[in-house]
């Protein structure tokens, strides 16, 4: 019997593949001994080969260095490349001609691997690769090579270009990146070496034609196997195209793989300023060139960057939550003595609030210890300690340089849908939970007083105004006395003006029926209280209509637990409240008299009795103002004490009516809002930097506000429906966020967050030179409004189930509601902005028509109507808005959407050649482009998928791939069908034998 042994290499182990009967015939024990001996020999041979390769790589690196530098390895003299500030140090494109195949009839599928010899380190490092171009011996590569500003490359640096022929791409996963070692890649079964060449960077930079033509030779340096053209690329310069070459050779070449280069910190580009670099991190750069419709080259630089705001904003928010909750707990304790029923309720509420406070404190402490990456990967979305952190928050930027058009930047922020993944979606998301909670709270019973959400929000606003205005008034009163002691008339006037403005705001804050009704409720909750008058409004004729909408305790049926009394002096609050205004009038009258005497030069004399009850005598200004200021502070203090207690009593009712659900919903809402706000702050900062020289945009920013459009790709089925509900509430809450631009006083440009829940102000810091470019209104501190809108269209297989067997009303309602918000912003824009402010108005597709088209598509209720996404994105760009794209984890669906949008922009705005649309789309959707690099970054932190080479994680799609709209499908090399073939060929099964699982589209459809 003739035995046939099959071997394969996997992690340097050779595993025999034999049938069980054959193994039995040979004898299991004898076979294992022979196999182990063979393995040991192969291991020894493998180590020997690797040692030789390492020695050759080291020798090769030495040969690349000039002889003068070999003797002084420690400190080589290197020449920096002259370049424009904040631009990449070096960029070049590649093309091959007359490649020689092993056989005449073979059609080559080639790519070029780029390696760098660092003179200071003397090692050969694999840096990046081009895409694979199929079926030609004259490949024209659309993917270029870019070296970011901080990359250590010099004129003495040598670049090695190696050309490979990919025989079977289904078995080959080419992975190239900047590696810490200098080992050559192992020989893959799916590709073969064609030839290599080297050049010195200085030769390319100094060449007159800015082009080098190099001869490819075999590994022994003998036979020529073709040539490589290296063309220096500058984004600001035009590259002459060859119409015949573009339209014939390149048109039929298929793009399979694109590879990345990883840059150090800093984003290349003209807007790469310190303040922007302070929030962006770990950029990855890509360079493409695509032909236009008139056979010219357009150049595209694609960048992806993380942001430290992913952790900075949530930590700032949690810190504010802790302070706010501690302040609230103290206000509840300061309510004073209460009847037993209310006192027990307060103790229960405080106990629950302390438990929730510890959750926030523990989370902040854990985040303070975090030392991982600056973004939260998808595999960590269920971690409790990271639940406030947004998922996969990244900037996706496309810089386009067209031959006849102005350079343009297109930014999209990609982030996972803001949702409370750790808490889960068993009972739905925030949209459903909040509605259910409010309905249940109305029917709580008689244990507490029901206040509507509007009144509860009003109580929080009053408390916030008190905490904000009281110290300001006290500070301005002290400044007034200080000015009086210095007898400075101008300073006295300014101090009085500020004191008057803040005191008027303070008095106005309590001009609300809620305060009066809450004081009555609190009075009835005191032990042994006695009312003096019926608890009815004094002016029922004027306030009757308002009281219909107020939750006055006498109108609430659920007050059986509150003792009923017959008298209450309601006018007492009005007297206390009015005393603040009277005291201020006394201060104003005294200052006027002092200034009048100072102007007339009459120091002595009697004071005009028209000052009312204010009495004073001649003498020092300070002595005459001091008692009046003290009276003002005392009156204000009495108002503050009563108002704080009454509003805290309102909050006590809110908490008591919903324990513990109320606090859990607050936590969930804080989590979702934290994720949404981190993305918004990132988007605003980037948009502000790119629009600093656009006066129309800056005018729009402070006159109308900023449109923020979120593109959601979540389904309305199962857990994703709950995510969508969370996301809708989180994005809606962003309407209450205001931005303010301030001048930075130090080198720390991170944004500052102030305020409280439902009322946050984000202070964005700019360097002095950039701050001077802003309009006067923004420089004076005008608050800038945000207009967030969300449009969602589910596109995966779960949405197919929802459309056929489930419910899509959630998506329809969200889209309809946000369409109205978008129309509101458009109407505000057309009302306040001049018609010629934005150049987009001159385009054929005007905004009004786009809005009408969007309205029709939303009303049509068509299945997977991705036209909604395209129209909403187009409107957003035309209105100078910020674009967000979100799915569950900001990976699969998000990548497909972003790449489709980018290629569509190139086609519609920059005249991309119609025959190259699909190829450009395939290039950007290949395994190694910037968007899919994000998949790999996430996969590095998860063990879900098998790594075929050098830690490379497989990018897979489920059945959803076949249910996506056609142009939102991934490139074939990214599909599960192709990747499953790779996995099964390179991965052992549980029984230790390699098996190939033949997977086809038909098989998956059948399953």
């Amino acid at each position: 019997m003739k035995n046939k042994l099959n071997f394969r290499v996997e992690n340097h182990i050779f595993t025999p593949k034999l049938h069980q009967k054959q193994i039995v015939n040979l004898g299991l024990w004898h076979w294992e001994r022979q196999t182990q001996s063979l393995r040991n020999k192969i291991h020894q041979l493998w180590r020997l080969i690797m040692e030789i390769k390492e020695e050759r790589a080291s020798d090769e690196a030495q040969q690349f260095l000039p002889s003068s530098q070999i003797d002084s390895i420690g400190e080589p003299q290197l020449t920096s490349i002259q370049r424009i500030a904040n631009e990449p140090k070096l960029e070049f494109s590649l093309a091959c001609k007359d490649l020689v195949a092993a056989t005449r009839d073979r059609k080559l599928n080639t790519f070029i691997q780029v390696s760098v010899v660092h003179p200071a380190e003397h090692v050969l490092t694999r840096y990046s690769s081009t895409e694979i171009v199929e079926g030609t011996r004259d490949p024209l590569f659309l993917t270029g090579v870019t070296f970011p500003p901080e990359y250590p490359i010099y004129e003495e640096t040598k670049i090695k270009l190696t050309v490979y022929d990919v025989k079977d791409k289904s078995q080959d996963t080419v992975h190239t990146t900047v590696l810490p070692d200098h080992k050559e890649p192992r020989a893959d079964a799916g590709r073969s070496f064609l030839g290599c060449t080297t050049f010195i960077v200085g030769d390319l930079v100094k060449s007159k034609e800015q082009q080098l033509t190099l001869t490819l030779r075999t590994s022994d340096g003998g036979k020529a196997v073709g040539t490589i053209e290296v063309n220096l690329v500058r984004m600001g310069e035009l590259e002459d195209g060859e119409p015949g070459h573009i339209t014939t050779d390149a048109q039929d070449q298929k793009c399979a793989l694109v590879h990345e280069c990883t840059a150090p910190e800093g984003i290349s580009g003209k807007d790469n300023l310190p303040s922007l670099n302070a929030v962006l991190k770990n950029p990855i750069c890509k360079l493409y060139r695509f032909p236009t419709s008139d056979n010219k080259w357009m150049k595209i630089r694609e960048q992806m960057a993380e942001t430290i705001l992913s952790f900075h904003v949530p930590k700032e928010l949690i810190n504010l939550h802790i302070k706010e909750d501690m302040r609230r707990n103290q206000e509840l304790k300061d309510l004073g003595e209460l009847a037993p029923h209310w006192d027990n309720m307060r103790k229960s509420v405080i106990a629950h609030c302390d438990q929730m406070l510890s959750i926030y404190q523990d989370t902040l402490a854990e985040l303070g210890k975090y030392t991982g990456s600056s973004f939260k990967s998808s595999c960590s979305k269920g971690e409790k300690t990271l639940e406030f952190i947004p998922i996969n928050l990244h900037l996706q930027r496309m810089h386009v340089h067209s031959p006849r058009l102005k350079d343009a930047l297109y930014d999209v922020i990609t982030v996972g849908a803001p949702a409370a993944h750790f808490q889960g979606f068993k009972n739905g998301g925030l949209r459903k939970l909040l509605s259910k909670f409010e309905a249940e709270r109305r029917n709580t019973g008689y244990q507490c007083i029901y206040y509507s959400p509007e009144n509860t929000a009003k109580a929080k606003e009053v408390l916030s105004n008190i905490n904000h205005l009281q110290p300001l008034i006290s500070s301005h009163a002290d400044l007034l006395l200080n000015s009086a002691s210095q007898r400075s008339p101008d300073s006295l006037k300014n101090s009085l003006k500020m004191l008057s403005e803040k005191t008027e705001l303070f008095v106005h804050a309590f001009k609300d029926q809620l305060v009066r009704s809450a004081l009555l409720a609190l009075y009835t909750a005191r032990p042994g209280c006695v009312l003096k008058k019926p608890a009815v409004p004094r002016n029922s004729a004027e306030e009757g209509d308002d009281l219909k909408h107020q939750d006055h305790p006498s109108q609430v049926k659920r007050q059986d637990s509150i003792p009923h009394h017959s008298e209450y002096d309601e006018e007492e609050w009005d007297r206390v409240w009015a005393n603040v205004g009277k005291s201020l009038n006394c201060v104003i009258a005294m200052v006027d008299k002092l200034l009048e005497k100072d102007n007339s030069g009459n120091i002595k004399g009697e004071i005009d009795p028209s000052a009312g009850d204010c009495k004073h005598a001649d003498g020092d200004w300070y002595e005459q103002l001091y008692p009046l200021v003290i009276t003002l502070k005392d009156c204000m203090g009495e108002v503050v004490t009563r108002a704080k207690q009454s509003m805290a009593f309102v909050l006590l009712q809110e908490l008591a009516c919903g324990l513990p659900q109320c606090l859990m919903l607050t936590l969930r809402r804080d989590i979702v809002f934290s994720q949404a706000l981190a993305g918004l702050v990132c988007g605003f900062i980037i948009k502000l930097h790119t629009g600093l020289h656009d006066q129309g945009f800056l005018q729009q920013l402070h006159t109308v506000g900023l449109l923020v459009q979120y593109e959601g790709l979540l389904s309305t089925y199962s857990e994703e429906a709950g995510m969508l509900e969370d996301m809708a509430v989180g994005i809606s809450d962003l309407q209450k966020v205001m931005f303010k631009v301030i001048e930075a006083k130090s080198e720390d440009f991170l944004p500052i967050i102030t305020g409280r829940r439902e009322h946050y102000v984000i202070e964005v810091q700019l360097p002095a030179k950039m701050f001077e470019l802003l309009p006067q209104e923004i420089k004076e501190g005008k608050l800038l409004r945000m207009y967030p809108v969300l449009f969602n269209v589910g596109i995966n297989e779960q949405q197919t189930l929802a459309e056929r067997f489930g419910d899509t009303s959630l998506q329809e309602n969200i889209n309809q509601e946000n369409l109205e918000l978008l129309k509101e912003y458009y109407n505000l824009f057309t009302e306040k902005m001049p018609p010629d402010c934005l150049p987009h108005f001159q385009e054929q597709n005007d905004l009004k028509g786009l809005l009408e088209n969007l309205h029709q598509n939303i009303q049509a209720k068509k299945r997977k109507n991705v036209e909604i996404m395209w129209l909403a994105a187009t409107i957003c760009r035309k209105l100078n808005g910020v674009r967000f794209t979100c799915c569950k984890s900001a990976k699969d669906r998000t990548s497909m959407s972003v790449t489709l949008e980018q290629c569509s922009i190139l086609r519609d705005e920059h005249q991309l050649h119609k025959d190259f649309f699909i190829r450009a789309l395939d290039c950007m959707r290949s395994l190694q482009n910037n968007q899919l690099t994000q998949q790999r970054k996430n996969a590095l932190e998860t063990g879900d998928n098998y790594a075929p080479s050098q830690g490379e994680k497989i990018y897979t799609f489920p059945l959803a791939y076949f249910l996506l709209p056609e142009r939102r499908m991934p490139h074939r090399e990214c599909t599960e069908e192709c990747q499953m073939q790779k996995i099964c060929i390179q991965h052992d099964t549980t029984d230790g034998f390699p098996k190939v699982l033949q997977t086809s589209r038909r098989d998956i459809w059948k399953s």
Side-chain angles (χ1 to χ4, degrees):
M1 181 177 63
K2 185 178 181 181
N3 292 330
K4 184 177 181 180
L5 303 182
N6 296 324
F7 295 93
R8 74 181 185 92
V9 178
E10 181 62 34
N11 295 330
H12 323 319
I13 297 176
F14 285 73
T15 305
K17 182 178 180 181
L18 294 175
H19 294 291
Q20 186 175 2
K21 292 183 179 179
Q22 293 175 320
I23 296 177
V24 173
N25 294 336
L26 291 174
L28 182 60
W29 179 81
H30 181 68
W31 170 254
E32 287 178 351
R33 286 190 59 185
Q34 289 183 340
T35 303
Q36 186 60 40
S37 175
L38 183 59
R39 285 173 178 164
N40 294 336
K41 292 180 180 179
I42 294 299
H43 281 163
Q44 294 175 3
L45 178 61
W46 181 263
R47 285 195 296 268
L48 180 62
I49 293 174
M50 295 306 299
E51 290 174 359
I52 295 174
K53 282 193 173 185
E54 290 176 2
E55 293 175 359
R56 290 182 59 186
S58 177
D59 294 341
E60 188 175 11
Q62 292 288 336
Q63 295 173 4
F64 285 168
L65 293 174
S67 58
S68 60
Q69 294 185 18
I70 297 178
D71 298 331
S72 57
I73 291 179
E75 297 181 358
Q77 301 297 320
L78 305 176
T79 306
S80 299
I81 300 176
Q82 295 183 357
R83 60 180 180 86
I84 303 174
N86 302 313
E87 287 288 310
K89 280 188 176 180
L90 178 67
E91 291 180 314
F92 56 85
S93 59
L94 299 168
C96 294
K97 288 186 177 180
D98 303 324
L99 295 179
V100 177
T103 58
R104 292 185 178 181
D105 56 345
R106 168 154 178 79
K107 292 184 178 181
L108 297 176
N109 304 320
T110 54
F111 74 93
I112 301 177
Q113 182 173 283
V114 182
S115 302
V116 179
V117 177
H118 299 280
E121 300 176 4
H122 320 296
V123 293
L124 182 68
T125 303
R126 289 179 286 115
Y127 182 73
S128 70
S129 296
T130 67
E131 78 274 18
I132 295 177
V133 178
E134 301 180 20
T136 178
R137 300 190 180 190
D138 300 318
L140 179 67
F141 300 99
L142 302 185
T143 306
V145 182
T146 179
F147 293 89
E150 304 303 324
Y151 192 86
I153 188 170
Y154 308 92
E155 290 188 5
E156 293 79 9
T157 302
K158 270 206 171 183
I159 306 293
K160 180 179 180 180
L161 306 176
T162 307
V163 181
Y164 289 97
D165 174 25
V166 179
K167 298 178 181 179
D168 185 359
K169 296 193 302 306
S170 65
Q171 299 184 29
D172 182 67
T173 302
V174 183
H175 175 240
T176 55
T177 184
V178 179
L179 298 176
D181 56 78
H182 59 274
K183 295 181 181 179
E184 289 287 345
R186 64 181 175 86
D188 289 281
R191 66 182 184 184
S192 61
F193 172 85
L194 284 183
C196 64
T197 186
T198 61
F199 69 92
I200 300 176
V201 170
D203 293 343
L204 176 62
V205 174
K206 296 177 181 179
S207 63
K208 184 177 180 180
E209 299 82 8
Q210 296 188 340
Q211 175 181 314
L212 296 177
T213 301
L214 309 172
T215 301
L216 281 172
R217 298 189 179 276
T218 54
S219 56
D220 57 2
K223 182 181 178 182
V225 292
T227 59
I228 292 184
E229 290 184 359
V230 184
N231 291 277
L232 189 66
V233 174
R234 301 185 189 276
M235 289 293 287
E237 298 178 1
L238 300 181
E239 181 178 353
D240 295 333
E242 301 178 15
H245 187 53
I246 295 175
T247 55
T248 57
D249 294 342
Q251 180 173 328
D252 295 329
Q253 297 173 9
K254 299 178 182 179
C255 174
L257 295 177
V258 181
H259 306 276
E260 88 283 3
C261 56
T262 305
E265 295 188 16
I267 286 285
S268 56
K270 295 181 180 179
D271 59 334
N272 179 17
L273 298 168
S275 57
L276 190 59
N277 290 339
V279 299
L280 296 178
K281 191 176 181 181
N282 298 332
I284 296 175
C285 309
K286 283 301 305 156
L287 180 68
Y288 303 97
R289 56 172 178 173
F290 297 136
T292 61
S293 56
D294 56 355
N295 293 330
K296 299 292 184 180
W297 287 112
M298 76 168 75
K299 302 169 188 175
I300 297 93
R301 183 183 297 146
E302 190 183 14
Q303 300 168 344
M304 180 179 71
E306 306 164 15
T307 172
I308 61 175
L309 297 176
S310 294
F311 283 82
H312 173 76
V313 171
K315 287 193 288 188
E316 291 290 306
L317 266 183
I318 296 173
N319 192 36
L320 290 178
H321 292 332
I322 293 173
K323 293 179 180 179
E324 181 181 349
D325 291 348
M326 292 177 67
R327 194 162 50 241
R328 178 199 58 200
N329 292 357
Q330 187 60 44
E331 289 165 353
L332 292 177
K333 295 175 183 178
D334 293 341
L335 273 174
E337 190 177 1
L338 298 175
H341 167 75
W342 299 106
D343 191 49
N344 292 333
M345 180 185 295
R346 173 174 58 178
K347 291 179 181 178
S348 175
V349 168
I350 292 177
H352 281 87
C353 289
D354 287 340
Q355 292 178 4
M356 296 304 297
L357 183 61
S358 65
I359 293 178
Y360 288 97
Q361 292 171 335
D362 293 343
T363 301
L364 184 61
E366 290 299 322
L367 289 178
K369 301 175 185 177
Y370 181 81
T371 57
S373 59
S374 58
F375 75 101
K376 172 183 168 183
S377 64
S378 61
C379 64
S380 302
K381 59 176 172 282
E383 292 187 16
K384 179 175 176 55
T385 56
L386 299 178
E387 57 184 346
F388 283 85
I389 311 300
I391 303 171
N392 277 330
L393 178 59
H394 284 78
L395 164 67
Q396 310 285 350
R397 165 166 291 183
M398 182 174 68
H399 178 194
V400 183
H401 173 74
S402 301
R404 298 179 182 177
L405 300 174
K406 185 178 179 180
D407 280 20
L409 285 177
Y410 299 94
D411 292 336
V412 178
I413 308 296
T414 57
V415 63
H421 291 275
F422 176 77
Q423 297 190 19
F425 310 95
K426 182 179 180 180
N427 298 315
L430 275 174
R431 191 178 173 104
K432 179 186 296 183
L433 293 173
L434 289 173
S435 177
K436 182 180 179 181
F437 171 75
E438 186 59 31
E440 292 176 349
R441 199 162 72 94
R442 290 178 179 271
N443 303 314
T444 305
Y446 61 85
Q447 290 83 3
C448 58
I449 304 172
Y450 172 77
Y451 287 94
S452 67
E454 293 76 15
N455 281 332
T456 301
K458 181 65 177 178
K460 294 177 181 178
E461 182 181 353
V462 170
L463 287 172
S464 176
N465 289 334
I466 292 174
N467 295 326
H468 175 67
L469 292 174
Q470 185 183 15
L472 286 179
I473 294 174
S474 180
S475 175
H476 288 308
D478 293 339
L479 289 175
L480 182 71
L481 291 176
N482 185 50
S483 300
S485 64
Q486 298 177 0
R487 296 185 69 89
S488 173
D490 292 337
S491 177
L492 193 66
K493 289 180 183 179
N494 294 332
S495 299
L496 179 62
K497 180 182 178 181
M498 297 301 297
L499 178 63
S500 300
E501 291 177 356
K502 299 303 179 184
T503 305
E504 288 176 4
L505 291 175
F506 178 83
V507 173
H508 182 73
F510 305 109
K511 194 176 181 180
D512 193 281
Q513 181 65 23
L514 176 64
V515 180
R516 186 178 288 107
S517 65
L519 280 170
L520 172 57
L522 177 60
Y523 185 83
T524 60
R526 301 292 187 192
C529 62
V530 178
L531 294 175
K532 297 180 181 180
K533 294 183 180 181
V536 294
R538 291 178 294 106
N539 192 349
S540 58
E542 295 179 2
E543 300 181 358
D545 293 337
D546 294 336
L547 287 176
K548 294 179 181 179
H549 305 287
Q550 298 294 337
D551 297 299
H552 196 285
S554 62
Q555 298 176 334
V556 180
K557 301 297 182 182
R558 277 175 277 119
Q559 294 186 33
D560 297 344
S561 62
I562 303 177
H564 291 279
H565 302 278
S566 57
E567 295 182 348
Y568 170 65
D569 188 3
E570 190 176 344
E571 295 181 357
E572 183 181 2
W573 163 249
D574 294 329
R575 289 193 297 270
V576 173
W577 175 58
N579 284 341
V580 177
K582 292 179 180 179
S583 300
L584 177 63
N585 290 335
C586 290
V587 173
I588 294 174
M590 174 59 71
V591 171
D592 289 341
K593 286 297 180 181
L594 293 175
L595 293 176
E596 183 180 351
K597 284 189 175 184
D598 183 71
N599 292 334
S600 63
N602 185 10
I603 301 177
K604 296 182 179 181
E606 296 184 358
I607 299 177
D608 191 345
S610 61
D613 297 332
C614 303
K615 296 181 180 180
H616 52 81
D618 295 341
D620 186 71
W621 286 8
Y622 179 87
E623 293 179 357
Q624 298 180 56
L625 279 176
Y626 180 77
L628 301 179
V629 171
I630 294 299
T631 302
L632 174 62
K633 288 184 176 181
D634 290 343
C635 293
M636 184 178 63
E638 188 174 358
V639 170
V640 166
T641 300
R642 298 194 181 204
K644 268 191 171 183
Q645 289 182 346
S646 65
M647 296 299 97
F649 189 73
V650 173
L651 298 185
L652 176 63
Q653 309 308 309
E654 178 202 25
L655 296 170
C657 288
L659 286 177
Q661 293 85 353
C662 177
L663 295 176
M664 293 305 299
L665 280 177
T666 300
L667 174 62
R668 188 184 188 101
R669 198 165 189 170
D670 288 344
I671 291 170
V672 174
F673 178 78
S674 173
Q675 298 177 25
L677 183 63
L680 176 64
V681 174
C682 176
F684 178 87
I685 292 176
I686 291 169
K687 187 65 179 180
L688 180 63
H689 279 76
T690 56
L692 273 177
H693 299 278
D694 186 346
Q695 294 303 316
F697 165 72
L698 294 176
Q699 181 183 355
Q700 175 188 354
L701 186 60
H702 71 79
T703 304
V704 184
L706 182 65
L707 178 65
V708 185
Q709 187 254 325
Y710 289 82
E711 174 182 307
L713 302 170
L714 294 172
S715 69
T716 55
Y717 183 81
S718 188
E719 286 192 346
E720 289 199 7
M723 297 176 200
L724 182 57
E725 290 179 350
D726 275 359
M727 182 181 181
V729 174
I731 291 175
S732 177
D733 286 345
L734 295 177
Q735 298 178 34
K736 303 166 187 175
V737 176
M738 308 289 280
F739 279 81
K740 182 180 179 181
V741 184
I742 61 175
E743 182 178 352
K745 303 301 181 182
S746 65
E747 296 300 320
D748 182 8
F749 299 108
L750 290 176
I752 302 170
I753 306 177
T754 59
R756 58 176 176 83
R757 289 182 179 92
E758 302 179 359
H759 187 75
Y760 288 106
V761 176
I762 315 299
E763 296 181 353
V764 177
Q765 303 186 81
L766 289 182
K769 292 183 179 179
M770 299 174 65
F771 187 75
E772 290 301 318
L773 300 174
L774 298 173
Q776 191 63 31
E777 294 85 351
I778 298 181
K779 288 194 287 186
E780 291 176 353
K782 183 175 181 179
L783 295 179
L784 310 175
R785 287 199 61 186
M786 301 293 108
Y787 291 86
V789 293
L790 165 64
F791 294 95
N792 186 85
V793 176
I795 61 173
N796 65 351
E797 81 284 4
Q798 290 187 337
Q799 185 62 22
T800 301
L801 297 176
E803 289 173 344
R804 295 185 178 180
F805 310 111
D807 182 18
T808 61
S809 59
L810 173 62
Q811 174 176 287
E812 295 166 1
N813 293 336
I814 289 175
N815 289 343
Q816 185 60 47
E817 293 168 5
N818 285 271
L819 175 63
E820 298 304 319
L821 294 175
L822 183 58
K823 288 181 177 179
E824 177 184 337
Y825 180 85
Y826 170 74
N827 292 333
L828 191 63
F829 178 87
T830 54
E831 176 185 342
K832 294 188 175 182
M833 296 295 292
D836 58 346
C837 178
L838 295 180
H840 298 298
F841 274 108
Q842 309 301 324
E843 298 182 1
Q844 183 177 2
N845 295 326
D846 62 341
L847 285 168
K848 189 174 182 180
L850 289 171
L851 277 170
E852 181 60 30
N853 196 359
L854 178 60
H855 174 78
Q856 293 174 0
N857 276 274
I858 290 176
Q859 293 297 323
K861 299 181 180 179
K862 177 183 175 183
R863 290 181 178 178
K864 296 187 180 179
N865 189 0
V866 293
E867 188 70 13
I868 293 176
M869 318 307 295
W870 174 245
L871 289 169
T874 303
I875 293 171
C876 176
R877 286 194 300 270
K878 291 181 181 297
L879 286 173
N880 277 329
V882 179
R883 283 271 298 111
F884 282 80
T885 299
C886 312
C887 65
K888 181 178 179 179
S889 301
K891 295 188 304 180
D892 304 352
R893 285 165 280 179
T894 297
S895 298
M896 298 304 101
S897 179
V898 170
T899 50
L900 175 62
E901 180 179 354
Q902 289 177 336
C903 288
S904 298
I905 289 173
L906 295 178
R907 177 195 62 196
D908 299 338
E909 305 290 340
H910 297 276
Q911 302 176 358
L912 173 67
H913 197 291
K914 63 180 182 179
D915 295 332
F916 278 79
F917 180 84
I918 299 300
R919 182 176 173 187
L921 193 61
D922 285 347
C923 274
M924 290 186 168
R925 286 183 175 178
S926 60
L927 278 174
Q928 311 287 349
N929 90 316
N930 278 357
Q931 279 71 42
L932 301 188
T933 299
Q934 185 168 320
Q935 321 306 323
R936 204 160 49 250
K937 290 168 66 177
N938 280 267
L940 289 174
E941 301 189 25
T942 179
D944 294 342
N945 296 323
Y946 171 69
S949 63
Q950 290 94 27
E952 174 76 1
K953 301 297 180 181
I954 294 297
Y955 176 71
T956 62
F957 283 83
L959 181 64
Y961 162 63
F962 304 107
L963 302 177
L964 288 172
E966 181 178 358
R967 286 192 174 177
R968 292 183 181 263
M969 287 185 178
H971 185 260
R972 182 187 176 277
E973 287 294 324
C974 306
T975 65
E976 188 173 21
E977 175 183 345
C978 178
Q979 296 302 325
M980 280 300 296
Q981 293 176 8
K982 298 180 184 180
I983 295 172
C984 295
I985 289 173
Q986 304 181 43
H987 188 43
D988 280 336
T989 56
T990 55
D991 60 1
F993 294 96
K995 294 182 180 179
V996 177
L997 174 63
Q998 298 297 334
T999 307
S1000 66
R1001 180 166 182 160
R1002 178 178 298 177
D1003 294 333
I1004 296 180
W1005 267 115
K1006 288 181 179 179
S1007 65

